[in-house]
Amino acid sequence: MENTSGFPKFECAISNTTEEYDSEVESFFTQLGALQSDIGLMLHKDKGWSENYRKVINYLQDLETAIIFKKGKPDSVFIEALLPKEPIQDEISDVLLRAQNENPAILVRASMRTRDVATLFVRMSRIPRFKDGFTPDRFEGLPNLRKALWSRAVDVSRKSVV
């Protein structure tokens, strides 16, 4: 891959190749880091769920490690217990307008970032040099994590104080 743009490149730990900064693998890890940051904010703001946020941060770190080293898959079983019992009918605007602080907005953003991470994960699985890291079994926790974060956003928005 010739560097005709003049921009620097980075060494990709997954494929052992030199990649452009606009590559989707870089976007995947950037979004994963942003998601971890949102969860880290909530770890300190939503004390009632702090243990769950710790587990999510560990899960996301384990996902990153599994992808890079192509070994195992992260344990996402705990996420199933965080899923709502009933379908949620709220809209994003409902959640944001009734919120008493910024916590529901952070959780909505984290939920949307989880969708972005999942989308980029699937894209990476289609690229031959990355597909061994981005496997279906490593993906399986992401859809439930998105739902769990959305559910928590709705719950937090319905409470007057977190």
Side-chain angles (χ1 to χ4, degrees):
M1 183 183 300
E2 185 179 336
N3 186 4
T4 58
S5 67
F7 291 106
K9 296 183 179 190
F10 69 94
E11 294 295 323
C12 179
I14 301 170
S15 64
N16 294 316
T17 58
T18 302
E19 297 289 329
E20 299 280 345
Y21 272 96
D22 66 348
S23 74
E24 287 184 328
V25 73
E26 181 73 359
S27 295
F28 172 83
F29 287 108
T30 299
Q31 285 300 315
L32 190 65
L35 174 57
Q36 287 176 308
S37 179
D38 283 346
I39 302 303
L41 280 171
M42 293 308 299
L43 173 69
H44 301 288
K45 296 172 85 39
D46 183 4
K47 299 296 184 186
W49 236 52
S50 62
E51 188 55 34
N52 293 327
Y53 295 125
R54 284 184 195 288
K55 289 178 182 178
V56 170
I57 289 170
N58 287 328
Y59 162 76
L60 294 172
Q61 181 59 51
D62 290 348
L63 175 62
E64 181 176 3
T65 300
I67 290 168
I68 291 171
F69 295 107
K70 300 172 193 81
K71 293 182 180 174
K73 68 174 190 148
D75 183 5
S76 62
V77 173
F78 77 96
I79 297 171
E80 292 173 22
L82 305 177
L83 295 173
K85 305 295 183 240
E86 302 290 326
I88 297 175
Q89 302 300 321
D90 295 50
E91 299 289 331
I92 291 174
S93 58
D94 297 333
V95 171
L96 298 176
L97 290 172
R98 84 172 152 247
Q100 300 297 310
N101 57 39
E102 68 276 11
N103 294 351
I106 296 168
L107 286 162
V108 167
R109 183 175 61 201
S111 176
M112 296 300 106
R113 282 191 171 145
T114 304
R115 184 182 297 271
D116 290 343
V117 166
T119 299
L120 289 167
F121 189 107
V122 172
R123 286 184 187 165
M124 295 291 81
S125 74
R126 295 179 185 144
I127 299 173
R129 68 184 182 277
F130 298 124
K131 70 178 182 176
D132 291 341
F134 293 87
T135 59
D137 62 333
R138 293 185 185 122
F139 177 86
E140 66 187 21
L142 292 173
N144 283 341
L145 178 58
R146 184 193 59 77
K147 291 175 192 172
L149 293 171
W150 170 246
S151 174
R152 185 63 181 167
V154 170
D155 289 347
V156 169
S157 75
R158 291 180 178 167
K159 296 176 183 175
S160 60
V161 178
V162 176

